[in-house]
Amino acid sequence: MTKKSTTMAPVVAWIGLGNMGRGMCRNLSAKGNLEKPLVIYNRTKKRADDLAAQLAPAKSTVVDSVQEAVKSADMVFTCLGDDKAVNETIDAALQGDVKGKLFVECSTIHPETTNALAERILAKGAEFVASPVFGPPAMADAGQLVFVLAGPRPSVDKVKPYTTGVMGKSIIDFSDQQPGKATLLKVIGNTFVFNMIETLAEGHVLAEKSGLRSDDLHQFIEAVFPGPFTAYSDRMQLGEYYKREEPLFSADLARKDAQHALKLAEQSGTKMGAMEVIDKHLADVQKYAGPKGDVGGIYGAVRLESGMKYEN
């Protein structure tokens, strides 16, 4: 007869409810086999209250501060917009006793920021795993993200049960590597996404201006490059890059990632000419669309540069 484990399941907290965080949080609550309610904190409390109302009854509890979320949890997931927000959140968390707690950081930040976080958290007697993810918000909603996990193997092993089959479809395992290696891969990986969008934008504009219909180019993209290329081409054709009230991937965050990549390139003696062009186009999106600017607005920026309207 197998002896039943007496190990208590951890109390899990989630901090940060952007487009990615909301989908991840829903799947964690629904499929994470949590024995206690998921603790949720977001700077804008209404967003946390709205999400909690969508979850099954008694599956979550909303708190009013970072400190309250961390105090009540054994494992703390953070998914925030930029390095400043992550640093401020972790600084607030470390004001209390965090000994024995596990911090899982899912944001896209500079590798140096990640390694510095790890040092501060470990110095307080807590554990740390860097866990950036690949995939758009739709994949977060569907529980199909790819997780990159880096940190001490015992800590990484504690995070894995909440990845594949819960919030994600697979992991890239960097166990026992520096946490910053995970965010280094994430930053470099995002340059692939930005280059794809730039290529599509330039191709669509050239097609329109040279006499080939945009629809005709889209047929080629569907036939030869199914998946993300087709999805972003659809978004461009439908004008989603300027029609949405809330961007799927804001130009502000995209430009932050692009500048992280350019800084890493400069530090390592690498030339990234394409990213310099993309950074300029993202700056044009910020200038034209403001807070509504989406990464897909690179298409609008190329249109402006070519003497066309930003909106297609």
Side-chain angles (χ1 to χ4, degrees):
M1 188 176 192
T2 303
K3 186 177 179 180
K4 187 177 179 181
S5 173
T6 58
T7 303
M8 294 291 291
V11 177
V12 179
W14 190 278
I15 298 175
L17 295 174
N19 286 333
M20 297 293 291
R22 291 197 294 273
M24 295 169 74
C25 208
R26 289 189 194 98
N27 283 304
L28 181 58
S29 173
K31 298 183 288 183
N33 295 316
L34 305 181
E35 293 183 6
K36 299 287 181 66
L38 178 66
V39 180
I40 303 173
Y41 170 75
N42 191 67
R43 184 175 59 181
T44 303
K45 189 171 182 289
K46 183 180 185 303
R47 183 168 284 188
D49 289 334
D50 289 347
L51 177 63
Q54 298 168 17
L55 304 179
K59 291 288 284 184
S60 64
T61 181
V62 175
V63 296
D64 296 319
S65 68
V66 170
Q67 291 90 340
E68 190 177 353
V70 173
K71 182 178 180 180
S72 60
D74 305 300
M75 182 180 295
V76 181
F77 285 86
T78 51
C79 188
L80 301 157
D82 56 30
D83 300 51
K84 181 174 182 289
V86 173
N87 275 319
E88 289 176 349
T89 298
I90 296 301
D91 285 344
L94 296 182
Q95 290 176 14
D97 181 9
V98 296
K99 189 173 182 179
K101 298 181 186 291
L102 171 57
F103 289 83
V104 186
E105 221 302 295
C106 302
S107 314
T108 304
I109 53 179
H110 195 284
E112 292 174 0
T113 304
T114 304
N115 287 331
L117 287 174
E119 288 182 13
R120 300 207 304 275
I121 289 168
L122 294 173
K124 290 284 190 175
E127 299 176 66
F128 180 80
V129 171
S131 179
V133 297
F134 285 105
M139 286 178 67
D141 292 339
Q144 292 293 298
L145 296 171
V146 176
F147 281 74
V148 187
L149 303 177
R153 188 174 299 276
S155 300
V156 168
D157 287 345
K158 292 178 185 178
V159 180
K160 287 180 178 179
Y162 304 100
T163 57
T164 306
V166 179
M167 294 186 287
K169 64 177 181 179
S170 63
I171 64 169
I172 299 172
D173 193 339
F174 283 4
S175 291
D176 292 333
Q177 294 200 51
Q178 246 190 344
K181 290 293 182 66
T183 40
L184 176 58
L185 176 62
K186 172 61 174 171
V187 170
I188 294 173
N190 273 9
T191 69
F192 284 53
V193 177
F194 300 152
N195 275 284
M196 173 189 68
I197 296 169
E198 180 73 29
T199 298
L200 286 167
E202 292 178 7
H204 271 293
V205 171
L206 177 59
E208 293 169 61
K209 295 208 71 174
S210 62
L212 180 72
R213 296 186 314 159
S214 185
D215 285 347
D216 295 332
L217 179 65
H218 186 72
Q219 286 186 58
F220 157 74
I221 294 165
E222 281 186 308
V224 181
F225 299 110
F229 274 85
T230 298
Y232 270 100
S233 180
D234 270 328
R235 292 181 62 196
M236 291 175 187
Q237 284 201 301
L238 295 172
E240 188 180 285
Y241 67 95
Y242 69 87
K243 291 178 179 177
R244 291 182 60 90
E245 285 301 316
E246 182 181 5
L248 279 177
F249 185 174
S250 79
D252 292 345
L253 296 184
R255 194 169 186 219
K256 174 261 299 179
D257 295 350
Q259 291 184 336
H260 280 341
L262 288 169
K263 182 179 178 182
L264 287 165
E266 181 182 2
Q267 289 171 338
S268 61
T270 306
K271 180 69 175 174
M272 297 188 80
M275 285 307 302
E276 292 173 6
V277 173
I278 290 164
D279 183 57
K280 177 191 176 300
H281 285 156
L282 287 169
D284 292 341
V285 176
Q286 289 176 309
K287 182 178 179 180
Y288 186 91
K292 288 178 61 176
D294 184 270
V295 67
I298 287 173
Y299 173 45
V302 175
R303 289 174 62 86
L304 286 173
E305 203 170 56
S306 304
M308 304 168 77
K309 287 178 59 180
Y310 181 86
E311 301 83 4
N312 64 347

